[in-house]
Amino acid sequence: MSDQTNLTRRGVIAAGASVAALSAFPVFALEDKGYAIGDVIMGDENAPVTIFEYASLTCPHCASFHERTFPTIKADYIDTGKARLIMREIYFDQFGLWAAMVARCGGDAAYYPMINMLLGRQRDWYQSHVGAYNQTKNHQPIIDEMMKIGRLNGLSNDRMDSCLTDQALLERMVTDYQTTSSADGIRSTPTFIINGDKIVGAVSAEEMSAAIEKHL
């Protein structure tokens, strides 16, 4: 489980801006750019149970949950219309922020496929390279591997470059992150809120199912 770091809005924006110079083009409404903005629902929007998942794309426990527990929860509850999922990203570091920007780059339909692949291949694009980054401070290998995943989901390099240098997108995501995580008292990842009940940690499918069944 990852402890939440003191990542200020200014600090996150500075980290995001270090990928490249911020775009000099006019800022249009984010909705007009085809991004996934705000909460994106997986499943039936009228499902009786709502699962909010707070996760970092660089958190190994979040990746473990998606590998071991999430497939069962999706099959038993989300695909059957009993529950809906809303993922809310937590930004512990610039890499988690950048990955989330890429995930939101392709719009609502591409968002969860991107999230699932980024978590499923976290070792390939992040864990295998972060040690070298800590020594060299060269973030490019991680960015390159992250963008490979974007291309597998139909995003062009130009599209991802545009997203990663979009200051308005970055600021909106950071504002959403700070607002929702503060309101829900999030201190670590993964954390789940199921119809108001909070569960902390990469729990088993049995534990998650029991928490959902309470509300059915």
Side-chain angles (χ1 to χ4, degrees):
M1 189 184 309
S2 298
D3 292 329
Q4 186 169 0
T5 57
N6 183 22
L7 194 57
T8 65
R9 180 172 180 272
R10 179 177 298 175
V12 174
I13 291 173
S18 70
V19 177
L22 291 174
S23 174
F25 295 103
V27 176
F28 299 101
L30 291 175
E31 290 78 7
D32 296 336
K33 296 181 180 181
Y35 301 148
I37 300 299
D39 287 342
V40 181
I41 296 173
M42 175 189 287
D44 184 348
E45 63 180 14
N46 297 313
V49 175
T50 299
I51 306 167
F52 288 101
E53 177 184 358
Y54 284 90
S56 165
L57 295 176
T58 58
C59 161
H61 298 284
C62 301
S64 176
F65 172 83
H66 272 262
E67 177 184 359
R68 299 178 182 179
T69 300
F70 182 68
T72 298
I73 300 304
K74 182 177 184 297
D76 290 351
Y77 296 102
I78 297 173
D79 292 347
T80 59
K82 297 177 181 178
R84 63 178 186 161
L85 175 77
I86 297 174
M87 171 89 167
R88 289 176 172 173
E89 310 108 17
I90 296 293
Y91 310 132
F92 291 133
D93 50 49
Q94 67 264 40
F95 299 114
L97 172 61
W98 295 338
M101 292 177 79
V102 172
R104 290 183 174 274
C105 193
D108 287 0
Y111 175 71
Y112 282 111
M114 277 289 299
I115 289 291
N116 289 334
M117 191 171 288
L118 285 162
L119 287 169
R121 301 191 180 192
Q122 186 189 89
R123 184 176 300 278
D124 297 335
W125 71 266
Y126 177 70
Q127 298 292 347
S128 296
H129 301 280
V130 68
Y133 167 78
N134 290 334
Q135 297 296 319
T136 66
K137 303 307 177 185
N138 177 16
H139 59 249
Q140 198 59 47
I142 296 179
I143 296 293
D144 289 344
E145 292 299 319
M146 183 192 306
M147 291 178 74
K148 285 182 183 178
I149 293 175
R151 289 194 295 273
L152 288 173
N153 283 273
L155 295 176
S156 68
N157 287 342
D158 287 345
R159 174 67 175 178
M160 287 184 281
D161 285 340
S162 177
C163 291
L164 287 168
T165 55
D166 192 323
Q167 184 178 18
L169 174 63
L170 185 150
E171 291 186 353
R172 169 63 187 269
M173 289 172 59
V174 172
T175 297
D176 286 349
Y177 148 67
Q178 292 186 323
T179 300
T180 58
S181 63
S182 176
D184 286 335
I186 305 303
R187 295 290 177 267
S188 60
T189 57
T191 294
F192 307 91
I193 299 178
I194 302 174
N195 279 20
D197 294 341
K198 184 181 291 186
I199 299 176
V200 179
V203 296
S204 67
E206 291 76 15
E207 291 174 281
M208 180 69 76
S209 295
I212 295 171
E213 288 289 345
K214 283 174 55 179
H215 301 282
L216 292 175

